[in-house]
Amino acid sequence: MNLKFKKPSKETQMAMSMVASGEDNQDYHSLAEEKLASITNHRYAKLFNSGNSAILAAMNSIDGAILIPDQGAWNGFKQIANFLNKDLITVKTNKGLIDLDELNESIILSSEEDIIDLDDENNKSALFLTSFAAYTAEQDMKAICDFAHKNNILVVEDASGAIGDYENRLANGNYSDIIIGSTGSPKIVNVEDGGFITTNDEGFFEKSKLLLKTNKASNITASGIYNELDFAKDNLKKTVDSCLYLKEAIEEKTSFNVFHKDKRGINVIIETDDPKSLSYKLRQEFVLDSHGMITKCPNYNRLKEKAVALEIKNLDIGCLSQDNLDEIIKTLKCFEDEK
Ligand SMILES: Cc1ncc(COP(=O)(O)O)c(C=O)c1O
């Protein structure tokens, strides 16, 4: 099994090195921002030097409280909310997936405690979540956004794993008020560096003007994002299809249980009684250059369950062949006693 860690496409590597060497002097910021906004169906986009910088700027622009899922999101949400001294409300989920009844409960409770003001248009709170819970199960963004908007709450979708959704259900600015993302490694727009925000509300950037300036993406990164966006759809589709195949085959052919087995995602999370031992053993089997593809749970960014995540998203799409996927299943079968 020849597994390789995801790299930017050859075209993107070439484009970035031309800018780095000074052979290409074009400013790529507005070109990349225009392309990005058209992909997310938003009017405006801004580039940042990392995903966390984009989250910092987005959160800084929110006047009210910050709501986050209790698992399956990104720990930067919590850290940055704390750094900005924001009121933080953790919403119970169904293993990372937003449950509208639980969300409603949290909103009512926070409103009774005066943490959220449901009527003040100038003090809106925001739900921060990732398009895929734990990178493994797509959120119902349309239903979540409809519900949040009825309650005067903004939705900030971290689409690091879902930009370019070919089904138009995720990373879609017709639903989410604000879309943020990392274009670092190994993401769907895989440039090794950078991040972004898109929105229809230009005033949103006004509040974080200084952060936009201090955390601006370099022109090398901007040229990378501009080029790599062309590969996002294909990257995402191949990764999601591979995960759907793996989820079904692991359930059928091994004794492991898969979390969210029918949902689209870009990794596969399997249940085990001994995550420490299984993750150690799988790390020896799945070696990709100097990087790995195994995450041990419980883990806030994945699931708070005894489990191991196979990060298919970390793999170069060139190695997502039928043979390699079948080899992954065969390898897992050897560790069934670790279930
Ligand atoms: C979902 C998600 N959001 C944000 C980030 C942070 O991105 P960056 O490393 O570019 O700051 C990551 C990093 O892995 C992530 O997985």
Side-chain angles (χ1 to χ4, degrees), residues 50-52 55 74 130 135 158 160 182 187 194:
S50 74
N52 280 327
I55 296 167
W74 170 241
T130 49
Y135 276 125
D158 181 333
S160 304
S182 165
K187 301 294 187 303

Side-chain angles (χ1 to χ4, degrees), residues 144-163:
I144 294 167
C145 291
D146 282 350
F147 182 83
H149 294 154
K150 277 190 198 129
N151 286 282
N152 214 13
I153 285 174
L154 298 168
V155 175
V156 182
E157 177 183 355
D158 181 333
S160 304
I163 184 95

Side-chain angles (χ1 to χ4, degrees), residues 18-46:
M18 297 266 283
V19 176
S21 66
E23 280 174 79
D24 180 357
N25 291 312
Q26 183 158 9
D27 184 351
Y28 280 96
H29 287 88
S30 42
L31 283 173
E33 285 165 0
E34 222 171 88
K35 202 185 260 188
L36 197 51
S38 84
I39 288 177
T40 63
N41 298 318
H42 272 145
R43 274 199 285 284
Y44 308 104
K46 290 286 175 205

Side-chain angles (χ1 to χ4, degrees), residues 38-160:
S38 84
I39 288 177
T40 63
N41 298 318
H42 272 145
R43 274 199 285 284
Y44 308 104
K46 290 286 175 205
L47 303 186
F48 288 84
N49 57 11
S50 74
N52 280 327
S53 295
I55 296 167
L56 177 64
M59 228 176 242
N60 182 60
S61 293
I62 302 292
D63 297 305
I66 306 297
L67 297 103
I68 57 166
D70 64 353
Q71 58 181 307
W74 170 241
N75 59 23
F77 295 167
K78 261 193 263 182
Q79 290 165 352
I80 293 169
N82 288 332
F83 177 77
L84 293 171
N85 272 326
K86 297 279 183 194
D87 285 321
L88 188 63
I89 300 154
T90 303
V91 180
K92 244 198 207 152
T93 63
N94 170 17
K95 296 190 176 38
L97 288 175
I98 294 291
D99 173 323
L100 296 183
D101 291 333
E102 294 289 358
L103 180 58
N104 192 33
E105 188 88 352
S106 294
I107 292 172
I108 292 170
L109 218 81
S110 312
S111 158
E112 281 168 4
E113 291 168 1
D114 284 335
I115 302 171
I116 291 187
D117 187 337
L118 294 176
D119 303 315
D120 188 349
E121 283 289 325
N122 297 316
N123 190 28
K124 285 192 183 182
S125 296
L127 170 66
F128 277 67
L129 79 172
T130 49
S131 319
F132 291 113
Y135 276 125
T136 214
E138 77 176 292
Q139 302 276 7
D140 186 346
M141 289 309 302
K142 182 173 185 314
I144 294 167
C145 291
D146 282 350
F147 182 83
H149 294 154
K150 277 190 198 129
N151 286 282
N152 214 13
I153 285 174
L154 298 168
V155 175
V156 182
E157 177 183 355
D158 181 333
S160 304

